[in-house]
Amino acid sequence: MDKNAALCVYLKKYHTGKEKAVPSTELEQLFSVNGRNLRRKINRLRQDGVPICSDRSGYYFAANQEEVNATVFRLTGLVTKISNARTGLLYSSLLGELPIPIEVTIQIDDGGERDAEQVSGDYRDGSRTSADFDSGYEPLYGLLDHCGE
């Protein structure tokens, strides 16, 4: 019997239900694998439709649909966090090296004498004013502030 099948049989026999969860460190020792390989084995079993659940206390074979739903909900949260990190990295690659020069076009309605006024500049020193930007660009400054700029 391979380790994946043995892991499945072991969890089903001795650790069915949330109350019987087993810590990953115990499984690592029992099956002579490191944490990464254990997670890969659990992932493979889940992909094959085996209802292995997990929470802070460890891994367990699902006893009911509610336990499966709780694990799916937790995994969905992890997927969302990873997706948000991915989006942030892609966004940073669009911005290039921070801080960046910003060019903004502001529409001014002053009776038709001018249609638009171009405002541009290098705002690396943080010397921006409300005349330079409209409030739509404040999230960018929040990002820069978050990065210690």
Side-chain angles (χ1 to χ4, degrees):
M1 180 182 308
D2 73 344
K3 284 187 181 181
N4 284 3
L7 177 61
C8 180
V9 169
Y10 176 79
L11 287 172
K12 187 171 185 177
K13 185 173 183 178
Y14 298 106
H15 300 283
T16 294
K18 181 178 179 173
E19 68 281 351
K20 293 184 180 178
V22 58
S24 61
T25 53
E26 188 175 320
L27 292 174
E28 291 166 25
Q29 291 174 354
L30 186 62
F31 290 93
S32 301
V33 295
N34 62 29
R36 184 179 207 177
N37 285 330
L38 176 65
R39 289 187 299 277
R40 285 180 177 165
K41 290 180 184 314
I42 297 289
N43 188 39
R44 170 54 54 199
L45 290 168
R46 286 173 171 169
Q47 289 176 30
D48 291 341
V50 178
I52 297 177
C53 297
S54 59
D55 62 15
R56 290 182 180 173
S57 58
Y59 292 103
Y60 55 95
F61 198 91
N64 54 53
Q65 187 63 47
E66 288 77 26
E67 291 177 349
V68 171
N69 292 348
T71 297
V72 168
F73 182 77
R74 188 182 60 75
L75 292 174
T76 300
L78 293 173
V79 168
T80 300
K81 288 178 183 177
I82 290 169
S83 178
N84 290 345
R86 177 185 170 274
T87 300
L89 284 171
L90 290 171
Y91 184 67
S92 73
S93 69
L94 293 174
L95 292 177
E97 186 175 308
L98 292 177
I100 59 170
I102 299 175
E103 187 170 297
V104 179
T105 300
I106 301 173
Q107 297 292 89
I108 300 174
D109 182 10
D110 61 352
E113 293 179 26
R114 293 181 290 173
D115 291 331
E117 181 176 319
Q118 188 79 15
V119 177
S120 63
D122 185 348
Y123 297 95
R124 293 176 200 208
D125 63 355
S127 62
R128 65 189 195 282
T129 68
S130 59
D132 297 326
F133 300 104
D134 68 9
S135 62
Y137 289 91
E138 285 305 312
L140 178 60
Y141 282 105
L143 173 66
L144 295 175
D145 292 341
H146 180 70
C147 294
E149 291 297 320

